[in-house]
Amino acid sequence: METENSTILELEEHSEALQTAKQVDFKMVTFSLAGKEYGIDIMKVKEISKAERFTYVPNTAPYVRGVHNLRGDIISIIDLRIMFHLPAVKKKEGDLEDMIILRLDNYFIGVIVDSIDKVVGISSKSIQPPHPLFGDINIKFIRGIVENDSKLYIILDVEKILGAHTQEEAQAEKQTVEQSSEKVHKEIEHDVDLGFIVDTLKTFKKFRVTDLNLSWVKQRFNVWKKEKGSDAESLQLKDVADADQYLQSFYSPSSGRMWDDDYMAAVTKALPESSNGPFTVWNPGCGKGYETYSLTIALKKKLPDAALKVWANDNDLLSISTAPNLFFREEEIPGHIAPYFVESKNGFQIVPEIRDVILFEYHDILNPNPFPEVDLIVARDLLSFMEINDQQKLLKEFWEKLKPNGVLLLGANEKAPDMDWTAREYGAVIAYTKKNV
Amino acid sequence: MRVEYINPFVEAAFSILKEVLDTEIERGELYLKSTSQPVLGVAAIVGLAGDVEGRVLFDMTKDTAIAIASGMNGEELKTLDELGKATITELANMITAQAVTKLHELGFKFDLTPPAIFTGDNMEVTDTEVEALIVPVNLSLGKMEINVAIRERA
């Protein structure tokens, strides 16, 4: 044990000597897996150790090698190579496996790697975000990439890899879906008429009532009662037109056209403050593109120095096809953004300066996408029209894809769950940021 | 998939097929797919690189492939022999090349890999993390699916 600790210290000193030139505020233990170099934050590493003959535990995932007695503490041993589907060299009988013992929350876990190299000190500023095309290891497990001594190290995020078990997660997800639909059922069960409306909205408009929009649906129901009288017959939504009428006030301001002055001002306030580096935006469900253009103009005004990049996508081929070359009539353009338009022979167009930062894609949001982490997600009136479990899945994906200080904007009448999101009101617009879990 | 890419592929497929086969062509509804899907029996694949990465896959049954190859060669082929395979490969090359030429005119830079052809029963194609655009084409000789999976280099 003492020898092992002293090796860490020695390694540390050695690498420190090499690194005196630049400011070192992040140290990582480096190791190799299938010939590539990886690093793990040293603060998560309890020690390094060698062992063999782990006690096999039946009925576990294939990457669990078993348990090991580490001076009286029983810890689980995970083979990272098997976990990441990398080739694992079979050790000869009696050869010891290299292990890194990690300290997570309140337990220890051992991971087996090909070989442990040394401790490298780097400046945390030099860590670059992972490239989305890394093949071997799922990008969400990668914290960043760093170059040191002309070697590239992939820094793994151990908490994401080992913190939560995927099966448990799936279980928990299922539970939240059940809970949420149960809750909605409970809320509406005393009111047959409301329940009927909830069902017909789903049939006619694919509008699913969940926690996300329940408060609006109830509020709207009260107004609806006043409009239609409380007799059950006239309350019902008989066709698509009725459902459209019911949902009329659901849609966010300035839907399907360029944003007006007031709404743009409110959104501008909700946008993140100054940034002069890269600033990436994801705008799923952008439809014909009015929303994306308005948003990009607002961003350009607020963050003139940022290197903007906006991904906009929709799964309606007809709408999205026209988006990159949208033409406007003069009366469609609100005065406050007129400078962002140029006249061409078919009508007015957005200036290239704005158009060039937007990438319109024909994409189904339920399919995986290669986008890296983003600074802003704008998904207005999108989730309410998704299946209940897809709503949950997407909210989770938004959470994962958003940078720590990133902002999420939903539709005017949609609410993100308090459990994961902090809401800030800016007039008509609510901006959500991630709660630290 | 970037909106600008869709039309060149659809247009190229139609103009080339019309030119080489001289038959009626009907377009099916375009859609997106990301799960693994069965391949009908003959699949010609062309890789793309450059501003993007991805591939285009031309998928048809063996009978359709033989009929197309027969039509293009102007002689009746009985089996999908060397000549037949070479013909299908060439068709894939022509369509992809024309699409890429069109995209070049729009300012996108793509490179092609030499086409390859796969034949066999019960094949399946899986793209993890890239969704594919499916362009179904109904020919009088049979059905062909053009499966385009491209993603931007971020």
Side-chain angles (χ1 to χ4, degrees):
Chain A
M1 169 64 209
E2 266 164 26
T3 47
E4 283 157 7
N5 269 356
S6 63
T7 5
I8 287 201
L9 283 176
E10 262 173 38
L11 289 169
E12 238 173 298
E13 273 164 23
H14 174 66
S15 63
E16 248 172 8
L18 284 171
Q19 302 293 327
T20 41
K22 63 184 180 201
Q23 199 207 345
V24 171
D25 60 355
F26 182 85
K27 283 187 184 155
M28 56 182 187
V29 178
T30 65
F31 56 93
S32 65
L33 289 177
K36 282 191 195 140
E37 312 291 334
Y38 295 88
I40 286 180
D41 184 355
I42 202 166
M43 299 310 288
K44 304 280 177 226
V45 177
K46 178 173 179 280
E47 60 180 271
I48 54 179
S49 165
K50 278 178 187 281
E52 55 146 1
R53 289 206 203 153
F54 306 107
T55 309
Y56 177 72
V57 182
N59 215 2
T60 51
Y63 51 79
V64 178
R65 283 283 287 271
V67 289
H68 176 60
N69 184 344
L70 184 80
R71 295 183 302 276
D73 287 327
I74 306 295
I75 57 170
S76 320
I77 305 296
I78 295 222
D79 195 323
L80 269 193
R81 298 164 300 189
I82 299 176
M83 195 167 183
F84 295 141
H85 309 290
L86 297 170
V89 189
K90 262 247 149 60
K91 293 267 174 167
K92 278 199 279 303
E93 187 74 13
D95 274 4
L96 298 174
E97 298 272 18
D98 276 324
M99 289 194 306
I100 300 177
I101 312 292
L102 301 172
R103 185 189 291 113
L104 291 168
D105 295 339
N106 45 7
Y107 58 95
F108 302 120
I109 198 160
V111 298
I112 297 178
V113 298
D114 277 343
S115 69
I116 294 168
D117 190 20
K118 60 182 176 209
V119 172
V120 174
I122 50 158
S123 154
S124 59
K125 285 201 188 76
S126 63
I127 301 178
Q128 310 216 357
H131 196 275
L133 304 180
F134 283 137
D136 296 344
I137 290 182
N138 194 326
I139 185 148
K140 64 180 173 204
F141 296 150
I142 301 177
R143 179 162 160 191
I145 309 296
V146 74
E147 196 197 345
N148 185 273
D149 211 4
S150 71
K151 264 190 198 164
L152 279 181
Y153 293 98
I154 298 173
I155 305 174
L156 298 179
D157 190 331
V158 286
E159 250 135 29
K160 281 208 182 125
I161 300 172
L162 304 167
H165 201 279
T166 30
Q167 258 178 358
E168 281 166 21
E169 250 172 51
Q171 196 74 33
E173 239 169 75
K174 212 176 146 202
Q175 269 173 2
T176 50
V177 171
E178 276 163 13
Q179 275 168 6
S180 119
S181 56
E182 230 171 68
K183 201 176 148 200
V184 171
H185 275 287
K186 228 178 236 158
E187 293 247 10
I188 57 174
E189 90 190 349
H190 61 273
D191 196 329
V192 183
D193 294 330
L194 182 58
F196 192 74
I197 286 199
V198 167
D199 286 343
T200 41
L201 282 177
K202 188 171 145 197
T203 318
F204 290 134
K205 294 298 292 178
K206 296 202 173 85
F207 181 94
R208 271 97 179 175
V209 183
T210 57
D211 277 357
L212 190 75
N213 46 36
L214 182 64
S215 57
W216 176 82
V217 172
K218 288 204 307 204
Q219 208 183 325
R220 173 75 180 127
F221 182 65
N222 291 333
V223 179
W224 186 254
K225 259 198 219 160
K226 269 179 213 140
E227 279 172 19
K228 298 278 165 179
S230 47
D231 129 56
E233 178 92 2
S234 53
L235 273 177
Q236 289 172 12
L237 307 176
K238 284 168 221 70
D239 48 30
V240 179
D242 277 354
D244 274 331
Q245 202 193 339
Y246 191 92
L247 288 181
Q248 210 170 33
S249 60
F250 171 75
Y251 299 103
S252 303
S254 302
S255 277
R257 55 192 163 92
M258 294 305 282
W259 293 351
D260 60 31
D261 208 354
D262 294 345
Y263 188 65
M264 176 125 29
V267 172
T268 305
K269 260 188 236 138
L271 295 174
E273 289 302 323
S274 69
S275 155
N276 41 22
F279 189 90
T280 48
V281 184
W282 183 23
N283 180 209
C286 66
K288 290 194 164 65
Y290 294 104
E291 174 177 301
T292 318
Y293 286 126
S294 310
L295 173 71
T296 312
I297 291 173
L299 280 165
K300 197 89 194 170
K301 276 186 181 169
K302 182 152 184 184
L303 313 169
D305 298 325
L308 279 180
K309 182 145 194 169
V310 182
W311 285 292
N313 39 62
D314 204 288
N315 70 346
D316 179 7
L317 185 57
L318 269 180
S319 301
I320 190 86
S321 317
T322 55
N325 286 306
L326 203 57
F327 288 103
F328 298 83
R329 291 188 313 274
E330 197 167 2
E331 64 271 21
E332 281 181 305
I333 305 169
H336 64 111
I337 51 170
Y340 291 94
F341 289 81
V342 283
E343 197 169 1
S344 67
K345 65 173 192 266
N346 294 322
F348 284 85
Q349 255 193 319
I350 307 273
V351 291
E353 186 197 356
I354 298 290
R355 280 198 293 156
D356 289 349
V357 301
I358 306 174
L359 195 116
F360 285 104
E361 286 193 301
Y362 176 41
H363 168 68
D364 189 337
I365 191 178
L366 296 172
N367 291 341
N369 65 59
F371 308 146
E373 286 187 318
V374 296
D375 298 274
L376 172 68
I377 296 176
V378 178
R380 300 192 312 155
D381 309 335
L382 170 75
L383 297 179
S384 293
F385 296 91
M386 298 273 171
E387 296 276 0
I388 295 170
N389 45 355
D390 291 337
Q391 291 185 7
Q392 306 280 347
K393 190 182 129 191
L394 287 171
L395 274 170
K396 193 157 174 270
E397 189 170 346
F398 290 167
W399 207 91
E400 263 176 25
K401 284 265 154 122
L402 210 55
K403 286 184 185 165
N405 296 320
V407 170
L408 168 73
L409 301 182
L410 295 176
N413 297 303
E414 292 175 320
K415 283 193 178 69
D418 300 340
M419 210 170 73
D420 304 325
W421 301 91
T422 316
R424 263 189 213 100
E425 269 186 57
Y426 299 90
V429 178
I430 302 173
Y432 293 96
T433 46
K434 296 207 277 190
K435 251 183 204 166
N436 290 323
V437 181
Chain B
M1 185 161 103
R2 195 168 171 147
V3 177
E4 286 93 333
Y5 301 158
I6 299 174
N7 257 333
F9 277 100
V10 177
E11 280 168 18
F14 284 83
S15 69
I16 297 280
L17 284 171
K18 220 175 177 123
E19 204 178 306
V20 300
L21 295 172
D22 198 21
T23 65
E24 278 303 296
I25 303 168
E26 202 184 301
R27 193 183 95 177
E29 196 77 13
L30 307 185
Y31 62 98
L32 291 167
K33 209 161 186 180
S34 90
T35 47
S36 58
Q37 47 187 327
V39 172
L40 299 172
V42 177
I45 188 166
V46 184
L48 297 171
D51 287 352
V52 296
E53 48 184 19
R55 50 111 192 115
V56 189
L57 189 109
F58 299 79
D59 181 20
M60 63 207 97
T61 62
K62 209 164 182 179
D63 292 341
T64 313
I66 293 174
I68 291 176
S70 301
M72 283 175 71
N73 284 300
E75 60 177 284
E76 200 64 29
L77 299 177
K78 295 273 174 290
T79 54
L80 195 64
D81 53 8
E82 284 295 303
L83 177 67
K85 284 181 191 163
T87 314
I88 298 298
T89 321
E90 183 51 27
L91 178 68
N93 208 12
M94 284 162 79
I95 295 178
T96 318
Q98 194 177 84
V100 168
T101 311
K102 286 182 186 191
L103 284 164
H104 232 271
E105 283 158 14
L106 294 172
F108 300 104
K109 289 185 188 63
F110 284 58
D111 283 325
L112 297 187
T113 64
I117 192 161
F118 298 85
T119 54
D121 299 322
N122 288 328
M123 293 194 296
E124 218 181 52
V125 58
T126 309
D127 300 276
T128 45
E129 298 181 2
V130 193
E131 59 187 352
L133 169 78
I134 315 285
V135 187
V137 184
N138 295 318
L139 303 164
S140 54
L141 307 168
K143 210 176 78 179
M144 185 203 261
E145 269 193 0
I146 304 172
N147 177 316
V148 190
I150 307 180
R151 69 175 175 195
E152 299 296 305
R153 283 180 181 278

